[in-house]
Amino acid sequence: MSEHGADGGPRTVLLLDEMAEDETGEHCDGLMGGPAADQRAELVVSFPEDVTDRLDFSSLSGGRQPEKRGIVTVGETMQAAGAGRPDFSDPLVEQTVADPTDLQQLGEVISNFCNVWGDAGYDIVVCFDSLTDLLAANDPEIVFQFCHVLSGRLESVDAVAHFHLDPNAHGQQLQLTFEQMFDETLVEEIDVEHLVPGGSSRASDADVARETETIELDDPDETPAANDGAATDSPPAARQSGEASDDDIADALPD
């Protein structure tokens, strides 16, 4: 497909991404923030889940302030902000594509940004978020053809573009097929340190004990006897001492 740029970096990247909708990973930020801000034009193609959940300019990550910024919102969204032909002289531009199956219109809208920004000499960076959403509305073969044509269009204006794909939502064969289209494949890793108190990579015995208190015993015969007439679902050791032993944890967890 597309060749690497003059700086030796990839021009098209498949970003395997398990991040939540409202989170942006390090690779996405890095790929968008490459060129100098005063020469950079950023385009984000977004698929909001809800008609009121449109991406707005203030929510874009990294605190970046490029010279030009655009959003293409795909789906049944409120279209007032993106109605009509956009004024590309504005620093912030939004357009909408109501039907996610209308790939011809989607391609034309993206091409309009590329034409105007390319002719003006901007360094164009594109975030397509995401292929998983596009595949939910279209046949994989059609999406593959669309990406093939779009990659060529982006290459013609020397754009650096990355396409998000949730690897958990697709079979391995489909993922490998799409990987062949791109210069590089990266994995957006989830930062799990915030899930464990203190930033430690391991949970303490007390942390595990607190978690196991919420696990119900599968065998009703092992449910603890009522205490003063009030039943409880927590394991006996955790209830009595506030901390479960290794054996208690092993018994509580499902096989």
Side-chain angles (χ1 to χ4, degrees):
M1 290 301 301
S2 60
E3 298 296 331
H4 284 47
D7 59 358
R11 284 296 179 186
T12 58
V13 175
L14 180 64
L15 193 54
L16 302 181
D17 183 7
E18 302 175 6
M19 308 290 284
E21 280 290 326
D22 58 350
E23 295 181 0
T24 302
E26 180 180 356
H27 287 306
C28 180
D29 245 3
L31 291 165
M32 292 294 280
D38 61 350
Q39 288 297 315
R40 186 170 70 244
E42 297 184 5
L43 178 63
V44 175
V45 181
S46 172
F47 293 72
E49 292 185 354
D50 185 80
V51 294
T52 61
D53 190 27
R54 289 209 336 270
L55 183 68
D56 60 57
F57 297 109
S58 63
S59 70
L60 294 178
S61 64
R64 299 182 304 270
Q65 295 297 328
E67 190 71 15
K68 296 286 186 178
R69 176 172 279 165
I71 296 175
V72 176
T73 305
V74 184
E76 294 293 338
T77 61
M78 299 178 183
Q79 298 195 34
R85 181 168 178 82
D87 184 355
F88 286 103
S89 65
D90 291 340
L92 308 177
V93 182
E94 181 176 5
Q95 247 189 312
T96 60
V97 176
D99 185 359
T101 67
D102 191 347
L103 300 190
Q104 180 176 350
Q105 183 189 10
L106 179 57
E108 290 175 353
V109 168
I110 296 173
S111 290
N112 286 339
F113 280 91
C114 291
N115 290 336
V116 175
W117 287 348
D119 290 344
Y122 289 107
D123 295 322
I124 302 172
V125 289
V126 180
C127 170
F128 195 102
D129 191 10
S130 69
L131 288 179
T132 294
D133 293 307
L134 196 64
L135 285 163
N138 297 275
D139 183 82
E141 184 176 352
I142 295 175
V143 175
F144 187 88
Q145 294 172 350
F146 169 79
C147 290
H148 180 89
V149 174
L150 180 59
S151 294
R153 182 69 192 94
L154 296 173
E155 179 187 0
S156 71
V157 293
D158 292 327
V160 174
H162 68 275
F163 296 72
H164 292 253
L165 181 76
D166 183 353
N168 295 326
H170 311 285
Q172 186 178 28
Q173 184 59 50
L174 183 143
Q175 177 183 317
L176 292 174
T177 299
F178 275 91
E179 285 184 13
Q180 296 174 17
M181 297 183 60
F182 298 91
D183 296 331
E184 186 175 348
T185 298
L186 298 175
V187 178
E188 196 74 271
E189 296 181 350
I190 300 175
D191 181 8
V192 297
E193 288 191 0
H194 71 281
L195 301 177
V196 180
S200 170
S201 60
R202 294 174 62 94
S204 66
D205 290 342
D207 296 328
V208 176
R210 282 194 295 270
E211 290 301 317
T212 56
E213 287 183 32
T214 64
I215 300 175
E216 294 184 359
L217 297 176
D218 293 330
D219 187 353
D221 294 333
E222 296 184 16
T223 302
N227 183 14
D228 295 333
T232 176
D233 290 331
S234 59
R239 190 176 63 256
Q240 293 170 8
S241 66
E243 191 167 309
S245 68
D246 293 341
D247 288 342
D248 295 325
I249 295 170
D251 291 336
L253 292 172
D255 293 334

